[in-house]
Amino acid sequence: MSFLPLFPLLSSHDLPTRLDSSVTLITSLPLDNSSSDDADTPYAVKRLVNGLGSSNEASRQGFAVALAELLARLPPKKADEVLPLILSTSTPTAGSDSREERDLLFARLFGLHAVLRSGVVTRPSTTNGETFKEVVLALLALAGKKSWMRESAYWVMIEGVRSLLELDGAAAPAWRDDITAWIIQRLLNDSREKARGWGPEKVALILTLQSNGVEADYTSVLAPEFPSGNILSRSSLVTLAKALKGTSVDENAAAGPSKAPKMGSNAVKTSKGGAPTPGAAPHFVWTEIFDLYFPNSSRNAPKDDLSQGRAKWSEVWRILVDQSLFAPPSLPLKATGFALLTLAIQRLPPTEIPALFGEGVMRTFNNHLRKSADGEKTLNRVAEKLAASLPPFLTANPSISFPLLEALVAPPHGSHQFDHRTVEKVVAKLDLKGVRSWVKYLKDFIIGEEQTVDEGEAIPDLAADEKIVTAQRLWAFDQLLHVAKVGGLEKDDEILAGLLEFFAVLGWFEVRKSGKGARSYVPTPAFTETLQIASRSRFFSILTALPLDTWLPRALGLLDNLAADSKNFTPIEDTEDDIITARKEVKTMYKKLAGDDDRKKTARSLVEGVLLLSYDEGEDSSEALEAIKDCVTVLFPDIFPKPEDEDEEMDDEEGDEPEPATVLIDLVLELLHRPSAFVKGVAQTVFTGFAGELGEQGLELILEQIRPEEVDVAEEEGEGAPVVNGGHDHAHDHEEPEASTSNGKASKKRKAPAPESEDSEEDSDGDDDDSEESDAEVDEAFRNELLAALQANGVANEFDAAESESEDGSEEELLDDDQMMALDDKLADIFRLQGGGNKGKKAERMDDLHYRLRVVDLLELLGKQRTANPLLTLIVLPLFSIVRRSTPLEKELTQKSLKLLRQIVSRKDVPAPASPDSTLEALAELHAVSQIVDSADFATLCSQTSVFLVKSALASPAADKSTSAAISKLFGDSFDAYLSKKNAKTRVQPALTIEFAKRSPACAWGMLEQVVSLANGDGAANAFRRMQAFDVAQALFTSQASLKTPESKAKILSAVPSYRDAILKVLSTSVSDPSTTFDAARLKELVKLALAAVRITIGASSSAEAQKLWKGKEFAPVLDGLKSSERFKGAVGVQNLLKQLLVVLGGEKEKKAEAGEKKKKRKVEEPEVEVEVEEEEMAVDESPKKKKKKDKKKDKKA
């Protein structure tokens, strides 16, 4: 078998392929045969040596591996011939360009490495070490040729030296000690090497010699740079740092130019912008250093004890890396530092990792994790890669998470401004012990240490650092909150209860005398009001993140106990007596709600939430406390019976007593005005618990909060707009709802911008100022302030006098110039102070928007219930109004409402209200609104909503035939209003009616007669509208046929005559009347509809019955008229479809029979010669084969 095909495989980029090819090549050579006839082995050696110079990235690796394995198996004489071959073939010639020179240099490097790896130069059988010397000198010369070759050449050289020194016993050659002494003399003590100074390569060589127990006078070798004789001693670290960076440490080098590279091989290559090139690794000398301090195998363990006199690892890292690489402003050095940091994390024991993050590391790490305003910083990706490597490491070593976290954020080198994403990732890897330590650290950080000032020392100015301390404490607050909120973090109830107690003490109380537990929370310096408010906020935020049914009573008990312990704690703010009394009354009622009943549990959660709010709001919570008493009394009349006189008084004042759920909803809405996640959580919990008791009254109270301003349909659509449903517009049955007395919602409505026509824009422009003035609200506070200022200057009195004189008819007295100047200055000041009014109004609008979002969240809970709530039918229309008429400021509200509306209308289980009346009213209002929906984007949503309401109304137990009739009449009237108006604004028709016809065929069939009448031309505005009527009629036929019941078939057959007459009327009129607006395209569509209807009729009965009902003979004159019509004689598509219709109905067969008889008569009367002539003329263009076949047929006939 030839081995020649194996050489190309050695250049494969696939590692297994290269290895397999090498093994196959070596085994195929006759290495055991020492005869001179072997020509394969010399050829293979020569081919492998020549392949080292290939520019293919994988060739050098493949050929070098195969060459090293081949040399190891060759006899000594043949192996000695390879080194001269390598040196001769890798020597550049005079005419070589730079690229060829580079390839040859790499060929020599890989060839020498193969010789050393094969072990031929270190065999015990060799009599001297001259061959080894030759290899070392060749590598030394190679290192001096190019600076970028120096590191690789020295690495190969040191690997060869290490392999020689690691030989033991009989495997070691006799000349090893002589060669070792020669290496020290030539590579270290030689004057030429002394002149070059110290670099990382020489440091690596020294460490290799010392770690392998080579004895030498290292004091003289390392002098004068390292006089201690130990290159890793504490006194040598500063000089060693310079050597590792590649800078010359020779004191005499300043006298002349140094041959050492300025940046050294340890420098990271950079691009034009200064960014380090990807994949740049630190110098291999760092691996030697790591092996000395943290050996990872027996091979790396030093043979001699070199720890004596060696500096500690912390000192080595601080001086060689933290101060040397991260302190200078050099980006390449910093990139090297990051690479070393990544390597150290992989090599060092976990307990040593936090010590790596020193001052320089932390400063650079934190700075480059941030992105500047100009974009990401140069080392941003390097820093992010390092940060991304920390979580996997901490997953395997969770006990290191807290020490590392402390190193990132705690003094002396950490900062609380460190990248929060990295901090959160590290926190997520904490174990339970680490979480406890982290929480304790944060608490101590917030409390601070009590400062003692010695005599003679200046007292620190704490007020000057108040902003800094406040910012740091707020950061610690957020970290504690993060611990409570993050889900995957391991924590127990003790930690959570401790956090609540911590924030409760700091937010509401002052410790009288410090002690253990909660009494130890005495902050130094004392908390400001901002921090106290922040503490309360974090208290409620933590409570929101926990299960409310479990933690609400515990939190309330915590605050009650702290308030009752007056010996150790004093409230920060005094509580009014009426609030204390109200709390006691509520707590008395709260105790009576004990039990496992779900209603009582939910009510207890509401009471607990309100009581907790009373601690935060103080006097402002009086209304909520009173409301909760009324609410609980109404919800549980058996526990809290009302006095009879109170019931009579309520009936006299308010008439009907509100539903219990309505009283609850009123309280929930009042609570939701607070922009608090805690209140929102309590409100949603209570709403979910009592959702089954919610009635239309309570739901209407909710909908009032989100329903946009009602706009008159006729006003938007213009004068003379048709009114749906017999002149009764359900959209305006109710008056504008008044504001709720409990929630304080403004009674004024948000006006949606009504679209204006082009003609009205010019008229409206001139009245903009007047309308703005008339609609503007008068700010009474501003008015009083302005009047007071005018009176202070005496100007207002003059105005009053002037006004009284004008009333008496006397002449008006004008102000002089001085008075006018004084008035102008004062008014300027007042109006300048009033300039923030618009900002305040915008803030009010945002608050109202967020309030409406929270209310929509309540409705979303109602829509997510497993069983469809009958009240869902009353929700869809307000949601549709929000989606249709929201402003850009309300984008979030629109998206949330749209999502909820789609979720409701797409439910598989349709709600079944007790009575269909309210659903029918909502459906009528939707149709009224649909008349002014001028965007086709809402067509699908409007259609789905209407179908949902239809199904809900029909699912009601009280629904009957009158319900279906009312629904079909409503859709018919709405469609009639659309067709009868040429310039109708709505863009949801006819999709709205077609969707109803498809989704509810039984109910929609009742409007067929009205639709066919519209298609017949009775009221439709034009041909386009009449075609839409035909589309709806066809949808009705198709959906009715899908029922496949005897009743549906009977309905179809009974409706065919009127539908046929309407279609036939349009076709006949279009042929006979040239002024008709039905063109060929519309007629084609109409005939398609007729053809489909005929097939539906056949499916419902039979072909004979369909022919009888459709009267195909009446369509035949239409076809003749189309052919003879100047307008439609070219409409081939219409004619072909009409022919198909006649074929289906049987009329075309009679015509074809008559035509066949006429043709036979004509053939009998005409002579045969003429027939043959015609056939010959027709066959002129035919092929000879076809003509031959026809001739044969003629012969047979003859």
Side-chain angles (χ1 to χ4, degrees), residues 64-98:
V65 170
L67 179 61
E69 188 64 27
L70 179 59
L71 287 176
R73 301 189 182 191
L74 283 178
K77 291 183 179 180
K78 291 186 177 181
D80 293 341
E81 299 174 357
V82 177
L83 180 59
L85 181 62
I86 293 173
L87 296 177
S88 61
T89 56
S90 61
T91 302
T93 60
S96 301
D97 58 9
S98 59

Side-chain angles (χ1 to χ4, degrees), residues 402-451:
F402 174 68
L404 178 59
L405 192 60
E406 196 173 16
L408 296 178
V409 300
H413 307 309
S415 172
H416 71 279
Q417 295 180 350
F418 192 80
D419 182 61
H420 67 92
R421 296 173 301 173
T422 305
V423 172
E424 291 177 358
K425 290 178 182 178
V426 176
V427 170
K429 302 302 178 182
L430 292 171
D431 55 5
L432 183 59
K433 182 179 178 181
V435 173
R436 294 181 187 276
S437 301
W438 177 235
V439 170
K440 183 180 182 304
Y441 166 77
L442 291 173
K443 288 181 178 180
D444 295 341
F445 179 80
I446 293 171
I447 297 300
E449 297 180 356
E450 186 175 356
Q451 299 181 357

Side-chain angles (χ1 to χ4, degrees), residues 989-1059:
Q989 289 284 12
L992 177 66
T993 309
I994 291 177
E995 187 70 13
F996 166 62
K998 291 179 179 180
R999 301 285 296 276
S1000 185
C1003 180
W1005 187 256
M1007 67 176 184
L1008 176 67
E1009 183 178 354
Q1010 187 177 4
V1011 172
V1012 172
S1013 176
L1014 293 170
N1016 205 14
D1018 301 339
N1022 48 36
F1024 175 72
R1025 294 283 193 265
R1026 292 178 66 183
M1027 279 302 303
Q1028 290 180 332
F1030 278 114
D1031 291 336
V1032 174
Q1034 187 64 32
L1036 290 171
F1037 269 91
T1038 305
S1039 61
Q1040 191 70 21
S1042 64
L1043 298 179
K1044 297 180 180 180
T1045 60
E1047 293 80 5
S1048 63
K1049 294 179 180 179
K1051 290 180 181 179
I1052 291 174
L1053 298 179
S1054 63
V1056 166
S1058 59
Y1059 189 46

